[in-house]
Amino acid sequence: MAIPRTCIDRAWLRNLLFVRLVARLVSFPAKIDKTMKTSLASLQEWVDQVASHTRAAQVHWCTGDDAENRQLVAQMLESGDLLELNQETHPNCYLHRSDPEDVARVEHLTFVCTPNRDEAGPNNNWMDPKEARALMDGLFAGCMADRTMYVIPYCMGPINSPLSRLGVEITDSPYVVANMRLMTRMGTPALRRIEEEGYFVKGLHSTGELDPDRRYIMHFPTELSIMSFGSGYGGNALLGKKCHALRIASYQARTEGWLAEHMLIVGIENPQGETRYIAGAFPSACGKTNLAMLIPPEAYREAGWKVWTVGDDICWLHPGDDGRLYAVNPEAGFFGVAPGTSQDTNPNALAMLNRDAIFTNVAVTDDNQPWWEGLDDRRPVKDWQGRDFDPKRGAAAHPNSRFTVPISRCPSFSNEAENPKGVPIDAIIFGGRRASLVPLVMEARDWNHGVLMGATMASETTAAATGKVGVVRRDPMAMKPFCGYNFADYWAHWLSFGQRMDRLPKVFQVNWFRRDDDGGFLWPGFTENMRVLEWILKRCKGETEARETPVGRVPAADDINLDGLDEVPDMETLLAVSKDGWTREIADIEKYLEEFSGRLPETLREELEKSRKAL
Ligand code: OXD
Ligand code: MN
């Protein structure tokens, strides 16, 4: 009789735990290399203390150079952490198959541990910092007894930019090291800057036993520190990304007077050669990567329009002396969702995925090339778990399967991504997945109304986090899973820019996902979104009119350029603002905002009241 897989897994896990327990009991404290690896005493002390607590078998300080990466890859190929993909079609590309229970962010196990609960707000899971530390210290005790501990110094943002921030991640996962190398400016240059500044975010990570019952992602914003245990998945384990660049950075940004946002940054160059920049917040897996590297429709390309990619996921917005907001992408790579990426939807992404990429949980074809649903009509032979592909078991690639690749590999990469000053932002767009109600595009009355638009946006959930997919939830500024403090204080911080700055971006809400009665999408999306971006930029330059509605300004149906579209979309429906629908929405928003009563900025209430009255 076949032994059920779960039994094998459990027996295997028990054996593993037993071996680790014995290893812990018999192992001596780590042979700590007493040579100083850094001139920064506080960093050296922290590393020594972690090595001793985790009983790391050895400690490796990452330099980030090619030789180190080659050696790590060789080691992971031997251990099975990485599998080689077809090196003729995909040189230097590898596949990682994660534990099937460890494939997405775990929001219910993610905590913000501020000194008091109100500071974290109803938008976060909270734990008392002392309790959280004790819990995590228990989990980390001896957890690296049979492992190498890697020390990864990294810089979020251009290495020479005053807007960048530094961090050090300690991890026992070579997969994390290889991904951090693609996602951040990692290694010796970052260490040198950390030593000069003496100030950095401390991130401690271990995959533990990958046991979902012993998995926590803890943030201590007041101490600029992160502890993550029990997961190897990107958003839980690559601590520079969501943990540092959003949760900790959003907290840091409030005290320092800037914004850390879940936004793409894109440059649009018009036929006259003038480039303007847009930052866009969309919830996870709602097309930020596609929009960030959009190729304009043929008629636009022929006229001379170009799109430049600065970032696809995170944007740090700093006030400039000229009253404008300047954006930097703190990341150096993409950790993009693979399914749905194709020659039609995102040719730039495909072009950059044929070398130097790590794929996680995709399927493979018979000639060992990476494959995912939506890529093309080849049939994969192995699914994401390495089993013979059987469509009865579901998709071949996991719906949240990913690629990691350096941003510089993107054909539309903008050199401005390396500009230490950042790029000036003309428009901010907030977008969600809404089957009904929200028009294709709508402009806020002013900054305060724009903050309300962002604060009350909602979207259907996706596979990027564990939990039910397709449920509409409020996801303010697409930061629901990522804001490191109370949303009410965060909105107040957003509003404060209105008082401090006189050339703020215009704010818009977009919805590419509105459906007709048969469930089909009303708007073609992808490359055609350029048409909406053009209208947005025209509004920024005062070159076109908009129709006032109670909830924002919308274009007239013929203000969006539809030239060259095969099928003319139903613009009346796409731009409709339903009185009944919005009355219900505002009632729902009021209920949602009640969660924050006591701390909710009065301005938001007033803005909502203006819309309600106008309806
Ligand atoms: C991501 C996410 O990985 O938002 O970017 O989940
Ligand atoms: Mn994201």
Side-chain angles (χ1 to χ4, degrees), residues 242 262 284 288 313 482:
K242 304 301 186 182
H262 190 205
S284 308
K288 281 205 300 298
D313 194 43
F482 307 122

Side-chain angles (χ1 to χ4, degrees), residues 483-500:
C483 183
Y485 60 106
N486 193 319
F487 262 152
D489 300 341
Y490 167 78
W491 298 325
H493 182 47
W494 263 81
L495 290 166
S496 73
F497 286 82
Q499 283 121 48
R500 289 193 273 142

Side-chain angles (χ1 to χ4, degrees), residues 176-329:
V176 165
V177 179
N179 277 275
M180 283 290 283
R181 183 168 177 272
L182 299 175
M183 296 298 300
T184 69
R185 282 97 172 159
M186 169 275 238
T188 308
L191 179 60
R192 294 289 98 88
R193 189 168 158 184
I194 291 170
E195 287 165 345
E196 269 162 37
E197 292 185 12
Y199 188 65
F200 60 97
V201 170
K202 288 180 185 164
L204 175 55
H205 167 255
S206 169
T207 50
E209 304 86 27
L210 296 175
D211 177 355
D213 293 332
R214 286 161 48 86
R215 179 174 295 163
Y216 293 98
I217 326 294
M218 300 284 190
H219 302 77
F220 305 89
T222 49
E223 296 156 36
L224 299 187
S225 99
I226 306 154
M227 292 174 104
S228 165
F229 190 91
S231 167
Y233 172 75
N236 304 328
L238 312 179
L239 301 187
K241 194 172 177 63
K242 304 301 186 182
C243 301
H244 176 164
L246 287 177
R247 297 194 193 96
I248 298 289
S250 58
Y251 188 95
Q252 204 175 4
R254 181 180 46 155
T255 23
E256 297 177 4
W258 49 281
L259 291 162
E261 297 301 321
H262 190 205
M263 290 179 177
L264 64 95
I265 310 163
V266 74
I268 317 273
E269 183 179 330
N270 69 13
Q272 292 72 48
E274 175 199 38
T275 305
R276 291 184 175 244
Y277 295 90
I278 295 178
F282 294 75
S284 308
C286 284
K288 281 205 300 298
T289 306
N290 292 340
L291 187 61
M293 51 188 81
L294 171 155
I295 295 183
E298 202 179 325
Y300 280 78
R301 283 199 315 269
E302 278 169 6
W305 289 87
K306 294 191 186 105
V307 170
W308 299 106
T309 310
V310 181
D312 81 323
D313 194 43
I314 302 181
C315 162
W316 286 355
L317 287 164
H318 286 261
D321 296 339
D322 56 358
R324 305 182 78 182
L325 280 181
Y326 283 78
V328 285
N329 172 12

